[in-house]
Amino acid sequence: MAIVSAKEMLLKARNEGYAVAQININNLEWTKAVLQTVEELKSPVILGVSEGAAKYMGGYKTVVGLVQNLHDFLKVTVPVAIHLDHGSYEGSFQALEAGFTSIMFDGSHYAFEENLAKTKEVIAACHAKGVSVEAEVGSIGGEEDGVIGTGELADPEECRVIAATGVDMFAAGIGNIHGKYPANWKGLNFEVLAEIQKVTNNVPLVLHGGTGIPGDMIQKAISLGVSKINVNTELQLAFADATRKYIEAGKDLESKGFDPRKLLNPGSEAMKQVVRDKIALFGSANKA
Ligand code: 13P
């Protein structure tokens, strides 16, 4: 299967009651670990790429080349989307031009009318190329690549209006935040989620900040229409932890343990385990 839009995989997830993972990637090791694991589990996947990660990897075209070529080399058969995460207005058009198959335009920091107008422009450009679009209503808390949200709850009326634009999926703040959750976190607001679901005509909903949300809350969110769950920090933590253990055990000093193919291996294996756990929790194994 080629690299595809996220639209069909999310509609299938919405209809069948599971969620597709968006796993954010940062480099070759991240991309390879995710692709190998989803192929092993026969799960669809969305590879999330923030503007900062794209810049780090060498630009949008490098990202598309990396994913496309690894996908072919590893003989991946499951549906894979390359998705811009929290795209700016300009970044959305650049990623589209470079061959991304899915775009999140995050206009949540604009006044609602401007977010709506810009979202419509991005949808028109993307849909003309068969590319799916995610919009955001009500900012997501925490900090991601310098974009700082305050964790507000989305207004269901704004969600209704955005959902009616023909957008393929949309993220709404329901108390979720990026990064680790603080000890005094109040949890997801299911009343707001249920209201949003009622007024948005079955458009797949996206839950950002997937790191550290307890399993029962994830399952309840899926039952209320969440069809895509984003996970980023958890892989970074797992990678860093496994790499630290390898070095602290002095393994880099034994034989050729300093070879990056060995040094980065425990981190890669740790990331694969996080992806396996998420796919089991989200219910997307064997749904490719
Ligand atoms: P976490 O880093 O909290 O997993 O959030 C990821 C995310 O929402 C990407 O958009």
Side-chain angles (χ1 to χ4, degrees):
M1 159 108 35
I3 308 288
V4 296
S5 137
K7 181 179 170 146
E8 283 73 24
M9 61 173 98
L10 291 181
L11 286 176
K12 183 172 184 298
R14 183 80 175 73
N15 289 336
E16 296 180 20
Y18 60 93
V20 178
Q22 172 186 312
I23 307 288
N24 281 46
I25 55 170
N26 287 287
N27 64 9
L28 174 77
E29 278 70 28
W30 257 246
T31 314
K32 210 162 116 181
V34 179
L35 289 179
Q36 285 174 330
T37 311
V38 293
E39 183 62 23
E40 167 193 308
L41 298 175
K42 297 286 173 262
S43 168
V45 76
I46 296 167
L47 300 177
V49 183
S50 67
E51 294 198 351
K55 200 167 164 198
Y56 174 79
M57 285 192 264
Y60 298 120
K61 283 191 183 158
T62 306
V63 173
V64 173
L66 175 73
V67 173
Q68 182 73 64
N69 289 315
L70 263 180
H71 165 278
D72 295 351
F73 180 77
L74 298 171
K75 299 189 170 45
V76 173
T77 60
V78 299
V80 175
I82 313 177
H83 178 82
L84 180 65
D85 189 27
H86 293 283
S88 62
Y89 181 72
E90 296 75 21
S92 296
F93 288 94
Q94 288 160 3
L96 175 66
E97 182 65 31
F100 274 53
T101 57
S102 189
I103 302 283
M104 176 189 189
F105 165 60
D106 179 355
S108 62
H109 51 287
Y110 293 111
F112 181 70
E113 287 308 320
E114 190 168 2
N115 182 7
L116 181 63
K118 285 190 159 68
T119 298
K120 284 182 181 166
E121 282 179 53
V122 173
I123 291 173
C126 288
H127 283 184
K129 290 187 167 183
V131 166
S132 51
V133 178
E134 173 178 343
E136 177 166 329
V137 184
S139 70
I140 314 289
E143 198 224 307
E144 194 175 46
D145 273 341
V147 180
I148 300 172
T150 50
E152 55 187 83
L153 297 172
D155 172 359
E157 175 54 17
E158 291 186 356
C159 293
R160 187 190 65 75
V161 176
I162 289 272
T165 56
V167 77
D168 303 288
M169 62 200 115
F170 76 91
I174 53 164
N176 44 324
I177 57 171
H178 292 122
K180 290 183 187 174
Y181 284 87
N184 61 355
W185 180 52
K186 295 197 189 74
L188 298 177
N189 188 320
F190 292 111
E191 289 81 55
V192 172
L193 179 56
E195 260 190 76
I196 293 170
Q197 192 206 16
K198 257 191 249 152
V199 296
T200 50
N201 202 19
N202 290 338
V203 177
L205 306 176
V206 181
L207 182 62
H208 282 244
T211 294
I213 299 179
D216 56 335
M217 287 193 202
I218 292 281
Q219 265 147 8
K220 180 142 192 212
I222 293 173
S223 76
L224 291 170
V226 165
S227 315
K228 169 173 174 283
I229 304 175
N230 295 4
V231 182
N232 181 17
T233 307
E234 206 160 326
L235 273 78
Q236 299 185 6
L237 291 169
F239 180 86
D241 189 48
T243 307
R244 178 162 26 78
K245 286 197 175 112
Y246 179 87
I247 292 176
E248 281 178 355
K251 298 258 175 65
D252 57 317
L253 303 173
E254 288 169 15
S255 180
K256 286 224 174 174
F258 53 82
D259 178 334
R261 284 173 277 174
K262 294 197 168 66
L263 179 66
L264 301 178
N265 193 54
S268 296
E269 290 302 320
M271 289 195 287
K272 285 184 191 171
Q273 194 52 48
V274 174
V275 177
R276 276 185 208 108
D277 293 347
K278 294 301 163 196
I279 285 175
L281 179 61
F282 301 170
S284 69
N286 296 313
K287 299 289 188 183

